[in-house]
């Protein structure tokens, strides 16, 4: 295609052929979102001269109602082509390197002669992008990649990948904003430079960085300075040992490194498309526009919550369908099994051992491999929780991968690398594949080792209903901006070869907590977890259908401000959908239909309730305060709840409000707006409505389990002198008492006495300064005693007596 769309008798029939043959799989943004000024002339800019791209652009402009891409523009005495392409350096075997004339000089001169502004719209077209849509030799050969393609290959791309097209329109550039009055050649170079940067970022966003050959990458890792230093420290002066360790480093590299393969990614795309259509009713993806704005310019690190093995596949699939490069994924070595491991490795997974302790060479190889991925701009994905959540709640973040990412970022900044942005992702299911194994493990069963046979057993469940999936992107976090706030002098804090800075551990801890809060903040509500919130808040997991419907309406209204999305339909539809998934029983009755859950269903519903319980933490805590006190002033409530709230925020990974008092007052107003509380002079009191009182009680029961766990732990701790317990001893003793309480009260909920919850509770008390550790022992003072005393008043006398009786079983 020439820079001017000259008259060509073949152009019209070729355009009709392109129109009939091609099909665009993804086109963004929509024409109405492009922001074009209809009163200004529009010129389209392509990254290279291509007849096929030009014809397709003409077709798309007509289809989308965009300014015509065929007819030249007349500005004064100058005629400008509707399409331009960036100048390139052409080389022929028989000619010297020749640079084509820039197309922008005539445009700049026309702008200056007429004073009319001109819009330049960059257009990126991908014919069967390299991580492809379908598997096949010809599709692979003809797919777009980072290499420039010749005419024969472009013709093949049109023939083979004509129905696998992605088109991305860039934001229009105004020539008046680019032209600063200097020589036209300078403005010309400025426009070309800006457009080249745009096209390069777009190709990086869609295709990812150019993939290095795996063997070359592993060899580079083995020969890197950090790995050679680790080898030298172990080998000493022995050449033979040095050679053996070098071979071991290469073996470690082969064990770790992914082998991303375009054919395999094509195959996985086809398999996953069929899997989602068969397994789920649909995937609701939200917030991806924020990623598209960052991709190509920043290194992206996706940090999803980890609820299911499907998480690995779901995020990559959604990113691909939205025109983004799938990430390299950190996977546990337990998944590197026969058949499955090689497939995952070629789909972008790299494998890591559970622990690096006592393996300095393996640690050096893994860190160097990770650094090279990040430094080259490859998108990355890992789970900061470490493993899948068996309880359904967000687990405390593990420091390992975050620490290595921070080390790599500090090193890359010294080497002039690009910025790094974390992308928190919330994934919510209406039904997971692993529900049976989670129930077994929470009940005390051993975790079974992954194997191909175990995964094949899951195939039998593909015909069962699993509802929908939500994938929500949270607020991205720039690592440099985070460090500017947490450690303003971080850029000068370290030099090459220095030990890790003193502030690193604190920064990694704060980074992990910030990311978990942003993941939880992106949670959305679905029918299953709404029904779970309502049904499990009843004493015997049984409720009248009409009352449950009213309570679901209440939960939606109270969650509207915090949830990223709400379910469509009516409460009756949500109950019916949860029943279709096998998680409750609907019992018709002459005096009113009943909704019930047996013990197994209640345990399963608890997992889905825990996905979103954090959205109602402050609401539930406030409602619980009215359990046996009918009237409370705001001052009394603040004094009563302030000690418990920081601990609950840590347990549920909730971002702290700017003012707890204001957040509490807003919660009271919302409860009053729903008819559950009434304003009484300077205080609040329970409503006289029986329905309102029952709903307030159900809201309070949402926070009863964590408050009971905290009460038990404090009672056990205060029954002994400071320094009596170690961290593990206190955790295990309280877990045993919680299990005893669950059995005595008929509460079949294994997650209530999950040891990790008590371990996290002890860590929260330490973080808040209520406990301190000295020589492995836990010590407390008057602040803890006072907080425990005030917390006791939250419980009514009967419940307090029951908890105290359980706590007295503590052995000296």
């Amino acid at each position: 295609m020439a820079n001017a769309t000259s008259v060509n008798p073949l152009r019209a029939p070729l355009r009709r052929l392109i129109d009939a043959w091609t099909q665009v799989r993804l086109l963004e943004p929509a024409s109405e979102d492009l922001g074009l000024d209809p009163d200004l002339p529009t010129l389209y800019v392509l990254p290279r001269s291509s007849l096929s791209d030009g014809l397709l652009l003409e077709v798309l402009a007509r289809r989308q109602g965009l300014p015509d891409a065929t007819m030249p523009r007349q500005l004064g005495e100058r005629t400008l082509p509707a399409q331009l392409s960036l100048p390139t350096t052409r080389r022929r075997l028989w000619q010297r390197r020749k640079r084509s004339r820039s197309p922008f000089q005539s445009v700049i001169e026309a702008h200056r002669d007429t004073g009319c502004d001109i819009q330049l719209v960059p257009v990126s077209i991908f014919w069967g992008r390299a991580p492809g849509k379908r598997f096949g030799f010809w599709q692979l050969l003809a797919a777009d990649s980072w290499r420039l393609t010749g005419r024969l290959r472009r013709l093949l791309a049109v023939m083979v990948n004509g129905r696998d097209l992605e088109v991305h329109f860039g934001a229009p550039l105004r020539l008046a904003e680019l032209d600063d009055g200097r020589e036209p050649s300078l403005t010309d170079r400025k426009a070309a430079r800006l457009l080249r940067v745009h096209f390069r970022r777009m190709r990086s966003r869609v295709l990812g960085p150019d993939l290095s050959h795996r063997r070359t990458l592993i060899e580079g890792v083995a020969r890197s300075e950090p790995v050679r230093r680790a080898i030298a420290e172990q080998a000493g002066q022995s050449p033979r040992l040095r050679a053996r360790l070098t071979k071991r480093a290469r073996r470690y590299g082969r064990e770790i490194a992914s082998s991303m393969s375009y054919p395999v990614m094509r195959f996985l795309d086809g398999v996953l498309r069929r899997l989602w259509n068969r397994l789920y009713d649909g995937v609701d993806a939200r917030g991806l526009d924020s990623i598209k704005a960052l991709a190509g310019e920043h290194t992206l690190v996706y940090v999803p919550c980890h609820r299911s093995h499907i998480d690995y596949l779901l995020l990559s699939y959604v990113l691909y369908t939205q025109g983004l490069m799938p990430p390299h994924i950190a996977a546990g070595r337990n998944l590197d099994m026969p058949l499955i491991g090689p497939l995952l490795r070629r789909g972008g997974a790299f494998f890591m051992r559970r622990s690096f302790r006592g393996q300095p060479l393996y640690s050096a190889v893994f860190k160097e491999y990770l650094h090279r991925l990040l430094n080259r701009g490859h998108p990355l994905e890992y789970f900061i929780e470490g493993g899948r959540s068996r309880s359904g709640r967000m687990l405390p973040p593990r420091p390992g991968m975050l620490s290595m990412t921070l080390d790599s970022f500090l090193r890359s900044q010294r080497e002039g690398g690009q910025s790094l942005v974390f992308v928190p992702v919330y994934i919510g299911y209406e039904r997971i594949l692993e529900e049976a194994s989670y129930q077994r493990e929470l009940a005390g069963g051993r975790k079974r080792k992954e194997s191909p046979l175990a995964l094949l057993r899951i195939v039998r469940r593909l015909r069962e209903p699993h509802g929908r999936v939500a994938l929500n992107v949270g607020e991205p976090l720039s690592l440099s901006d985070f460090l500017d706030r947490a450690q303003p002098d971080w850029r000068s804090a370290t030099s090459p070869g220095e030990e890790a800075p003193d502030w690193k551990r604190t920064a990694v801890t704060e980074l992990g907590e910030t990311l978990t809060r942003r993941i939880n903040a992106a949670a959305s509500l679905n029918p299953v977890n709404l029904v779970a919130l309502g049904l499990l808040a009843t004493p015997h997991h049984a409720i009248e259908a009409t009352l449950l419907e009213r309570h679901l309406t209440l939960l939606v209204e109270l969650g509207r401000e915090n949830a990223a999305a709400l379910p469509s339909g009516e409460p009756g539809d949500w109950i019916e959908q949860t029943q279709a998934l096998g998680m409750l029983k609907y019992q018709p009755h002459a005096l009113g239909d009943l909704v019930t859950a047996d013990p197994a269903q209640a345990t399963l519903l608890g997992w889905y309730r825990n996905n979103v319980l954090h959205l109602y933490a402050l609401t539930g805590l406030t409602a619980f305060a009215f359990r046996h006190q009918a009237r409370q002033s705001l001052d009394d409530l603040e004094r009563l709840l302030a000690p418990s709230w920081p601990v609950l925020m840590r347990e549920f990974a909730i971002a702290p409000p700017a003012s707890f008092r204001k957040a509490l007052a807003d919660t009271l107003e919302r409860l009053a707006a729903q008819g559950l509380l009434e304003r009484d002079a300077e205080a609040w009191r329970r409503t006289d409505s029986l329905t309102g009182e029952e709903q307030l009680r159900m809201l309070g029961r949402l926070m009863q389990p964590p408050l009971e766990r905290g009460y038990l732990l404090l009672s056990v701790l205060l029954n002994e002198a400071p320094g009596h317990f170690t961290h593990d001893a206190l955790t295990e003793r309280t877990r045993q008492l919680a299990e005893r309480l669950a059995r005595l009260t008929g509460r079949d909920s294994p997650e209530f006495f999950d040891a990790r919850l008590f371990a996290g509770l002890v860590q929260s008390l330490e973080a808040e300064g209520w406990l301190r550790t000295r020589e492995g022992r836990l010590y407390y003072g008057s602040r803890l005693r006072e907080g425990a005393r005030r917390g006791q008043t939250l419980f009514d006398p009967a419940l307090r007596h029951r908890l105290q009786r359980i706590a007295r079983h503590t052995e000296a």
Side-chain angles (χ1 to χ4, degrees), residues 3 85-88 99-106 109 188:
N3 279 332
S85 61
L86 289 181
T88 58
R99 189 175 186 85
S100 61
R101 183 178 184 271
S102 172
F104 299 115
Q105 291 195 18
S106 297
E109 291 168 359
D188 170 69

Side-chain angles (χ1 to χ4, degrees), residues 335-356:
L335 292 178
D336 191 12
M337 64 186 83
L339 301 179
I340 303 299
L343 188 64
L344 293 178
R345 192 185 295 275
R346 286 167 176 77
F350 62 96
F351 297 97
M352 60 186 299
R353 298 180 179 182
R354 185 172 297 273
S355 173
F356 296 179

Side-chain angles (χ1 to χ4, degrees), residues 64-266:
Q64 300 297 317
L66 293 169
D68 182 72
T70 307
M71 300 301 297
R73 307 325 189 216
Q74 190 69 37
L75 266 75
E77 298 180 356
R78 296 182 184 272
T79 301
L80 302 178
Q83 301 177 31
L84 307 172
S85 61
L86 289 181
T88 58
T89 301
R90 298 177 179 176
R91 189 175 189 177
R92 301 283 188 249
L93 292 176
W94 58 89
Q95 294 178 342
R96 297 182 62 186
R97 189 181 296 266
K98 182 180 179 181
R99 189 175 186 85
S100 61
R101 183 178 184 271
S102 172
F104 299 115
Q105 291 195 18
S106 297
V107 178
I108 296 169
E109 291 168 359
H111 162 65
R112 292 186 176 181
D113 291 345
T114 63
C116 178
D117 196 2
I118 300 173
Q119 317 180 91
L120 302 177
V121 180
V123 184
S124 301
I125 300 175
F126 299 93
W127 299 77
R129 64 189 177 109
K133 183 179 179 184
R134 297 181 181 87
F135 172 74
F137 171 77
W138 293 108
Q139 286 89 347
L140 173 63
L141 183 63
D144 261 323
S145 67
W146 274 97
R147 292 179 296 175
L148 293 177
T149 56
R151 294 177 180 175
L152 181 60
R153 188 171 178 182
R154 177 57 59 176
L155 176 62
L156 184 63
V158 174
M159 295 172 58
V160 175
N161 292 315
R163 297 190 174 274
D164 182 19
L165 284 169
E166 287 189 17
V167 181
H168 300 266
F169 289 93
L173 294 176
R174 296 288 187 87
L175 197 58
E177 297 176 0
L178 297 177
D179 190 3
D180 53 7
R182 294 186 293 176
E183 292 184 12
S185 61
L186 296 177
T187 304
D188 170 69
R189 286 198 293 270
K190 180 179 180 181
R193 183 175 66 254
L194 289 174
L195 288 165
R196 281 196 183 92
V197 169
H198 167 82
F199 287 126
R200 185 173 64 251
R201 288 176 177 172
M202 183 57 64
R203 292 184 72 80
S204 180
R205 174 184 130 179
V206 174
L207 302 178
D210 199 7
L211 294 175
S212 172
H213 193 281
R214 182 170 182 262
R215 189 189 315 166
T216 305
L217 178 59
I218 293 172
E219 187 64 28
V221 169
R223 293 180 178 274
S224 66
E225 177 60 29
V227 174
R228 286 191 286 112
R229 191 185 311 124
I231 291 173
E233 291 175 357
Q234 293 186 60
Q237 300 300 318
S238 172
R240 183 176 300 177
L241 182 56
R242 186 185 297 268
R244 190 160 65 243
L245 290 174
T246 301
K247 290 182 179 179
R248 186 180 298 173
R250 293 191 182 98
R251 188 174 73 247
Y252 286 155
R254 291 191 294 272
E255 174 189 315
I256 294 167
S258 69
S259 183
M260 189 172 278
S261 164
Y262 292 155
V264 171
M265 293 184 72
R266 291 170 178 272

Side-chain angles (χ1 to χ4, degrees), residues 658-705:
S659 167
F660 175 63
R661 183 181 179 87
K662 184 179 185 306
L664 185 59
D666 292 342
T667 302
L668 291 169
E669 294 286 355
R670 283 194 292 271
L671 291 174
Q674 299 301 321
L676 307 189
L677 293 177
E678 294 178 352
R679 190 71 178 262
D680 178 12
E682 298 300 322
W684 302 84
R685 64 179 180 85
R686 291 197 302 252
T687 180
D688 295 331
S689 165
L690 292 178
T691 301
E693 186 175 353
E694 177 61 24
Q695 289 187 307
L696 187 67
R697 188 178 296 111
M698 291 173 66
L699 287 174
R701 289 196 187 106
L702 294 177
M703 286 297 106
Q704 184 171 332

Side-chain angles (χ1 to χ4, degrees), residues 43 48 108 167 202 235 278 323 364 371 403 479 499 578 601 608 664 672 798:
L43 305 183
R48 59 183 178 275
I108 296 169
V167 181
M202 183 57 64
R278 178 179 290 271
H371 171 70
S403 179
L479 185 52
E499 295 294 328
T578 308
Q601 291 172 327
Y608 297 96
L664 185 59

Side-chain angles (χ1 to χ4, degrees), residues 423-438:
V423 181
V425 181
Y426 172 85
I427 302 176
Y429 299 89
E430 292 183 3
R431 189 181 180 190
I432 56 170
L433 290 170
E434 299 94 334
E435 59 186 22
S437 63
Y438 286 179

Side-chain angles (χ1 to χ4, degrees), residues 5 11-24 27 44 46 51-71 83 123 125 127 162 165 167 169:
T5 52
R11 198 171 186 90
L14 287 175
R15 188 188 310 120
R16 287 193 293 270
L17 182 62
I18 288 287
D19 190 8
W21 177 249
T22 58
Q23 180 176 328
V24 178
L27 187 148
Y44 299 97
L46 294 167
L51 176 63
S52 57
D53 287 358
L55 292 172
L56 178 65
L57 177 57
E58 294 171 13
V59 170
L60 290 178
R62 188 182 70 251
R63 287 182 189 172
Q64 300 297 317
L66 293 169
D68 182 72
T70 307
M71 300 301 297
Q83 301 177 31
V123 184
I125 300 175
W127 299 77
L165 284 169
V167 181
F169 289 93

